[in-house]
Short mmCIF file of all heavy atoms in Angstrom, two decimals:
data_model
loop_
_atom_site.label_atom_id
_atom_site.label_comp_id
_atom_site.label_asym_id
_atom_site.label_seq_id
_atom_site.Cartn_x
_atom_site.Cartn_y
_atom_site.Cartn_z
N ARG A 3 150.47 118.78 -69.45
CA ARG A 3 150.06 117.56 -68.76
C ARG A 3 150.34 116.34 -69.63
O ARG A 3 150.66 115.26 -69.12
CB ARG A 3 148.58 117.62 -68.41
CG ARG A 3 148.25 118.63 -67.33
CD ARG A 3 146.76 118.62 -66.99
NE ARG A 3 146.38 117.42 -66.26
CZ ARG A 3 145.51 116.52 -66.71
NH1 ARG A 3 144.92 116.67 -67.89
NH2 ARG A 3 145.19 115.47 -65.97
N ASP A 4 150.23 116.50 -70.95
CA ASP A 4 150.52 115.38 -71.85
C ASP A 4 151.98 114.94 -71.73
O ASP A 4 152.28 113.74 -71.83
CB ASP A 4 150.21 115.77 -73.29
CG ASP A 4 148.72 115.84 -73.58
OD1 ASP A 4 147.94 115.31 -72.77
OD2 ASP A 4 148.34 116.44 -74.60
N HIS A 7 152.15 112.85 -68.65
CA HIS A 7 151.51 111.55 -68.89
C HIS A 7 152.41 110.65 -69.72
O HIS A 7 152.49 109.43 -69.47
CB HIS A 7 150.17 111.77 -69.59
CG HIS A 7 149.36 110.53 -69.74
ND1 HIS A 7 149.36 109.78 -70.90
CD2 HIS A 7 148.54 109.87 -68.87
CE1 HIS A 7 148.56 108.73 -70.74
NE2 HIS A 7 148.06 108.76 -69.52
N LEU A 10 154.93 109.25 -67.42
CA LEU A 10 154.29 108.28 -66.54
C LEU A 10 154.09 106.94 -67.25
O LEU A 10 154.27 105.87 -66.65
CB LEU A 10 152.95 108.83 -66.07
CG LEU A 10 152.07 107.95 -65.17
CD1 LEU A 10 152.80 107.62 -63.87
CD2 LEU A 10 150.76 108.66 -64.87
N MET A 11 153.73 106.98 -68.51
CA MET A 11 153.42 105.75 -69.24
C MET A 11 154.63 105.17 -69.97
O MET A 11 154.52 104.13 -70.61
CB MET A 11 152.28 106.01 -70.22
CG MET A 11 150.99 106.47 -69.57
SD MET A 11 150.45 105.42 -68.19
CE MET A 11 150.06 103.90 -69.08
N THR A 37 143.70 122.15 -67.55
CA THR A 37 142.57 121.32 -67.12
C THR A 37 142.54 120.07 -67.98
O THR A 37 143.26 119.96 -68.98
CB THR A 37 141.24 122.08 -67.25
OG1 THR A 37 141.05 122.45 -68.63
CG2 THR A 37 141.23 123.33 -66.37
N GLY A 38 141.70 119.13 -67.62
CA GLY A 38 141.57 117.92 -68.41
C GLY A 38 141.15 116.75 -67.58
O GLY A 38 141.15 116.81 -66.34
N GLU A 39 140.77 115.69 -68.25
CA GLU A 39 140.36 114.47 -67.57
C GLU A 39 141.58 113.72 -67.05
O GLU A 39 142.66 113.78 -67.64
CB GLU A 39 139.57 113.57 -68.53
CG GLU A 39 138.24 114.17 -68.98
CD GLU A 39 137.27 114.35 -67.82
OE1 GLU A 39 137.22 113.44 -66.96
OE2 GLU A 39 136.61 115.39 -67.77
N SER A 40 141.39 113.01 -65.96
CA SER A 40 142.45 112.19 -65.38
C SER A 40 141.91 110.79 -65.12
O SER A 40 141.60 110.43 -63.98
CB SER A 40 142.97 112.81 -64.08
OG SER A 40 143.45 114.12 -64.28
N PRO A 41 141.76 110.00 -66.19
CA PRO A 41 141.20 108.66 -66.00
C PRO A 41 142.10 107.79 -65.14
O PRO A 41 143.31 108.03 -65.03
CB PRO A 41 141.12 108.12 -67.44
CG PRO A 41 142.14 108.90 -68.19
CD PRO A 41 142.15 110.25 -67.58
N ALA A 42 141.49 106.80 -64.54
CA ALA A 42 142.25 105.88 -63.70
C ALA A 42 143.30 105.16 -64.53
O ALA A 42 143.08 104.83 -65.69
CB ALA A 42 141.31 104.87 -63.05
N ILE A 43 144.46 104.93 -63.92
CA ILE A 43 145.54 104.20 -64.57
C ILE A 43 145.80 102.95 -63.74
O ILE A 43 146.48 103.02 -62.71
CB ILE A 43 146.81 105.06 -64.67
CG1 ILE A 43 146.54 106.32 -65.51
CG2 ILE A 43 147.96 104.26 -65.27
CD1 ILE A 43 147.73 107.25 -65.59
N PRO A 44 145.24 101.80 -64.14
CA PRO A 44 145.45 100.58 -63.35
C PRO A 44 146.92 100.21 -63.22
O PRO A 44 147.37 99.74 -62.18
CB PRO A 44 144.67 99.51 -64.13
CG PRO A 44 143.66 100.28 -64.92
CD PRO A 44 144.33 101.57 -65.28
N VAL A 45 147.69 100.43 -64.30
CA VAL A 45 149.12 100.11 -64.30
C VAL A 45 149.84 101.21 -65.08
O VAL A 45 149.50 101.47 -66.23
CB VAL A 45 149.41 98.74 -64.94
CG1 VAL A 45 150.91 98.45 -64.89
CG2 VAL A 45 148.64 97.63 -64.25
N PRO A 46 150.83 101.87 -64.49
CA PRO A 46 151.60 102.87 -65.24
C PRO A 46 152.61 102.19 -66.15
O PRO A 46 152.72 100.95 -66.17
CB PRO A 46 152.30 103.66 -64.13
CG PRO A 46 152.52 102.63 -63.06
CD PRO A 46 151.31 101.72 -63.12
N ASP A 91 152.39 110.98 -61.27
CA ASP A 91 150.93 110.87 -61.23
C ASP A 91 150.31 112.01 -60.43
O ASP A 91 149.27 112.54 -60.81
CB ASP A 91 150.51 109.53 -60.64
CG ASP A 91 149.01 109.29 -60.75
OD1 ASP A 91 148.53 109.07 -61.87
OD2 ASP A 91 148.33 109.37 -59.71
N TRP A 94 150.24 114.98 -62.62
CA TRP A 94 149.35 114.87 -63.79
C TRP A 94 147.89 114.77 -63.37
O TRP A 94 147.01 115.39 -63.98
CB TRP A 94 149.72 113.63 -64.61
CG TRP A 94 148.74 113.34 -65.70
CD1 TRP A 94 148.62 113.99 -66.90
CD2 TRP A 94 147.73 112.32 -65.69
NE1 TRP A 94 147.60 113.45 -67.64
CE2 TRP A 94 147.03 112.42 -66.92
CE3 TRP A 94 147.34 111.34 -64.78
CZ2 TRP A 94 145.97 111.58 -67.24
CZ3 TRP A 94 146.29 110.51 -65.11
CH2 TRP A 94 145.62 110.63 -66.31
N ARG A 95 147.61 114.02 -62.33
CA ARG A 95 146.24 113.65 -62.01
C ARG A 95 145.42 114.82 -61.48
O ARG A 95 144.25 114.98 -61.84
CB ARG A 95 146.23 112.51 -60.96
CG ARG A 95 144.85 112.14 -60.42
CD ARG A 95 144.88 110.81 -59.75
NE ARG A 95 145.43 109.80 -60.64
CZ ARG A 95 144.77 109.25 -61.65
NH1 ARG A 95 143.51 109.63 -61.90
NH2 ARG A 95 145.32 108.35 -62.42
N PHE A 96 146.00 115.61 -60.61
CA PHE A 96 145.22 116.60 -59.87
C PHE A 96 145.36 117.97 -60.53
O PHE A 96 146.42 118.58 -60.51
CB PHE A 96 145.67 116.63 -58.41
CG PHE A 96 145.54 115.31 -57.72
CD1 PHE A 96 146.66 114.57 -57.37
CD2 PHE A 96 144.28 114.77 -57.46
CE1 PHE A 96 146.53 113.33 -56.75
CE2 PHE A 96 144.14 113.54 -56.84
CZ PHE A 96 145.26 112.82 -56.49
N THR A 97 144.29 118.42 -61.14
CA THR A 97 144.30 119.70 -61.86
C THR A 97 143.81 120.83 -60.96
O THR A 97 143.15 120.60 -59.95
CB THR A 97 143.42 119.62 -63.12
OG1 THR A 97 142.07 119.30 -62.73
CG2 THR A 97 143.93 118.55 -64.08
N TRP A 142 151.75 101.09 -56.16
CA TRP A 142 150.83 101.62 -57.16
C TRP A 142 149.38 101.30 -56.82
O TRP A 142 148.48 102.08 -57.12
CB TRP A 142 151.16 101.12 -58.56
CG TRP A 142 150.35 101.87 -59.57
CD1 TRP A 142 149.26 101.44 -60.25
CD2 TRP A 142 150.53 103.24 -59.94
NE1 TRP A 142 148.74 102.45 -61.03
CE2 TRP A 142 149.51 103.57 -60.86
CE3 TRP A 142 151.46 104.23 -59.59
CZ2 TRP A 142 149.39 104.83 -61.43
CZ3 TRP A 142 151.34 105.48 -60.16
CH2 TRP A 142 150.31 105.77 -61.07
N ALA A 145 148.16 104.08 -54.97
CA ALA A 145 147.89 105.24 -55.83
C ALA A 145 146.51 105.14 -56.45
O ALA A 145 145.78 106.14 -56.56
CB ALA A 145 148.96 105.35 -56.91
N VAL A 146 146.13 103.95 -56.87
CA VAL A 146 144.80 103.75 -57.46
C VAL A 146 143.71 104.02 -56.43
O VAL A 146 142.71 104.68 -56.70
CB VAL A 146 144.68 102.32 -58.04
CG1 VAL A 146 143.25 102.05 -58.49
CG2 VAL A 146 145.65 102.13 -59.19
N ALA A 149 143.28 107.87 -55.93
CA ALA A 149 143.25 108.71 -57.13
C ALA A 149 142.07 109.68 -57.15
O ALA A 149 142.09 110.65 -57.91
CB ALA A 149 143.22 107.83 -58.38
N HIS A 150 141.07 109.45 -56.32
CA HIS A 150 139.85 110.25 -56.38
C HIS A 150 139.93 111.55 -55.61
O HIS A 150 139.07 112.42 -55.78
CB HIS A 150 138.68 109.43 -55.82
CG HIS A 150 138.82 109.11 -54.36
ND1 HIS A 150 139.75 108.21 -53.89
CD2 HIS A 150 138.17 109.58 -53.27
CE1 HIS A 150 139.66 108.13 -52.58
NE2 HIS A 150 138.72 108.96 -52.17
N ARG A 155 145.23 111.36 -51.16
CA ARG A 155 146.54 111.00 -51.72
C ARG A 155 147.67 111.58 -50.89
O ARG A 155 148.64 110.89 -50.57
CB ARG A 155 146.63 111.51 -53.17
CG ARG A 155 148.02 111.39 -53.81
CD ARG A 155 148.47 109.97 -54.05
NE ARG A 155 147.65 109.30 -55.02
CZ ARG A 155 147.86 109.35 -56.35
NH1 ARG A 155 148.88 110.03 -56.83
NH2 ARG A 155 147.06 108.70 -57.17
#
Side-chain angles (χ1 to χ4, degrees):
R3 291 182 71 242
D4 287 344
H7 186 263
L10 178 61
M11 300 309 293
T37 60
E39 295 296 319
S40 302
I43 298 177
V45 181
D91 187 71
W94 172 76
R95 173 163 306 284
F96 302 110
T97 59
W142 190 256
V146 173
H150 65 289
R155 171 67 66 87

